[in-house]
Amino acid sequence: MYLFISPWLIGFLIFALYPILSSLYYSFTDYDIIHPPRFIGLANYNEMFHNELFWRSVKVTLKYTFISVPVQLLLGLGFALLLHQAIPWRGFFRTAMYFPSMVSGVAMSLLWYWIFNPQIGLFNYMLSWFGIPGPAWLMSPDTALYALIIMSFWTAGSGMILFLAGLQGVPASLLEAAKLDGAGRLRIFWNITLPMISPVLLFQLIMGLIDSFQVFTQAFVMTQGGPNYSTWFYVYNLYTSAFKEYRAGYSSALAWILLLVVMLFTAVIMKLSNRYVHYEGGSRR
């Protein structure tokens, strides 16, 4: 048996466990990749918590997360409820909604960079139809982060697909029984549909949080963290420390703090999920 699992085991030890443990060691060192690492204890962590750019990156990332994740969930669920109905061209609309999720992050960023262009971009051109002067979007520290949040809604179709799968798993017998009892659509959705798809909602909430904590491509391609650090995301800060300032030890410390924060958020959500997630055959506490 060990012979059969040895390819996966060797790959895991070399490409996963060793880099993870190495980064933990480097987080306690002064390491510039070229010279041997020098052990400095908790100095990287101490510097991190006294670094203004670190707190700026935390603020930007949390603001992006707390706005974009709930709206993406609502959009995905709304589109799924709409396209779960027997409407004409349903298959086409499902494909069209999911298609943007297949575009690579760099291509998507270049496309939206043009859309947000204040002179020739699509958004400001459409606003001009109504006589509304368009903002500077990515060129202004007041609107750059909100532009990236709007851009994140582009991939709501991937969440729609998962919600559709959940909706198709809701037993038709429950819905028919509720209709016979005189329940309206809103009550059926709140008391039957939403509890039945709550595991899908939980999965998408956790994955959405993890993805939003790791935003990088948009900031790298479109704004380089600017203007005036308004899109200075946590992972972009980590990248800058590692590959522009050559501080692998400090960036390793940043990575471990990110891991701990993601684990903390996930643990809290899983703990609270006992109150609102319905598992078929399971019991609520």
Side-chain angles (χ1 to χ4, degrees):
M1 182 180 68
Y2 294 108
L3 180 63
F4 287 111
I5 67 171
S6 59
W8 176 87
L9 189 60
I10 293 172
F12 171 75
L13 292 174
I14 295 177
F15 298 110
L17 186 60
Y18 174 73
I20 291 172
L21 296 179
S22 296
S23 70
L24 179 60
Y25 167 70
Y26 290 139
S27 71
F28 298 107
T29 66
D30 180 14
Y31 183 37
D32 61 1
I33 303 175
I34 299 174
H35 302 94
R38 182 172 59 87
F39 188 80
I40 55 174
L42 296 173
N44 284 328
Y45 293 93
N46 184 52
E47 177 187 345
M48 180 194 312
F49 294 125
H50 291 83
N51 189 318
E52 183 182 353
L53 285 182
F54 167 79
W55 291 111
R56 176 64 66 92
S57 68
V58 171
K59 181 180 178 182
V60 168
T61 304
L62 289 178
K63 191 173 183 179
Y64 177 90
T65 299
F66 290 143
I67 297 177
S68 68
V69 173
V71 177
Q72 281 193 61
L73 288 176
L74 290 175
L75 284 176
L77 180 58
F79 289 137
L81 290 171
L82 179 63
L83 297 180
H84 187 57
Q85 308 301 317
I87 60 174
W89 297 74
R90 183 171 64 175
F92 169 78
F93 287 120
R94 287 180 177 179
T95 305
M97 286 299 303
Y98 182 69
F99 182 76
S101 304
M102 301 170 63
V103 180
S104 73
V106 173
M108 181 176 65
S109 299
L110 292 175
L111 172 64
W112 280 86
Y113 188 80
W114 167 74
I115 291 175
F116 285 126
N117 188 298
Q119 280 80 41
I120 60 172
L122 181 62
F123 267 180
N124 283 2
Y125 177 69
M126 294 174 67
L127 289 174
S128 69
W129 296 348
F130 306 97
I132 301 174
W137 295 113
L138 299 173
M139 308 300 174
S140 168
D142 296 327
T143 56
L145 181 60
Y146 295 104
L148 296 187
I149 291 173
I150 293 172
M151 176 184 163
S152 70
F153 305 153
W154 174 258
T155 56
S158 60
M160 177 202 69
I161 292 296
L162 295 176
F163 278 125
L164 273 174
L167 289 172
Q168 291 173 0
V170 177
S173 58
L174 290 178
L175 301 176
E176 292 297 329
K179 289 178 182 176
L180 290 175
D181 286 342
R185 289 190 174 186
L186 185 60
R187 188 166 185 180
I188 291 176
F189 170 76
W190 188 258
N191 291 335
I192 297 178
T193 304
L194 194 57
M196 293 300 294
I197 64 171
S198 55
V200 180
L201 187 62
L202 173 64
F203 173 77
Q204 297 216 61
L205 175 60
I206 292 175
M207 297 307 296
L209 281 173
I210 294 174
D211 286 343
S212 62
F213 278 131
Q214 300 182 70
V215 169
F216 170 73
T217 305
Q218 300 92 313
F220 179 76
V221 175
M222 301 171 69
T223 62
Q224 293 285 307
N228 195 25
Y229 301 102
S230 59
T231 59
W232 193 262
F233 285 94
Y234 191 94
V235 174
Y236 186 78
N237 185 34
L238 189 155
Y239 162 82
T240 303
S241 301
F243 299 103
K244 289 188 176 180
E245 300 173 357
Y246 301 105
R247 302 187 64 197
Y250 181 74
S251 63
S252 296
L254 286 171
W256 271 92
I257 291 298
L258 176 61
L259 174 65
L260 294 176
V261 170
V262 170
M263 291 176 64
L264 176 64
F265 270 84
T266 304
V268 171
I269 292 172
M270 290 299 294
K271 184 66 177 177
L272 295 177
S273 70
N274 293 328
R275 300 180 181 178
Y276 63 84
V277 175
H278 169 79
Y279 293 101
E280 190 173 357
S283 60
R284 289 187 174 183
R285 284 184 285 174

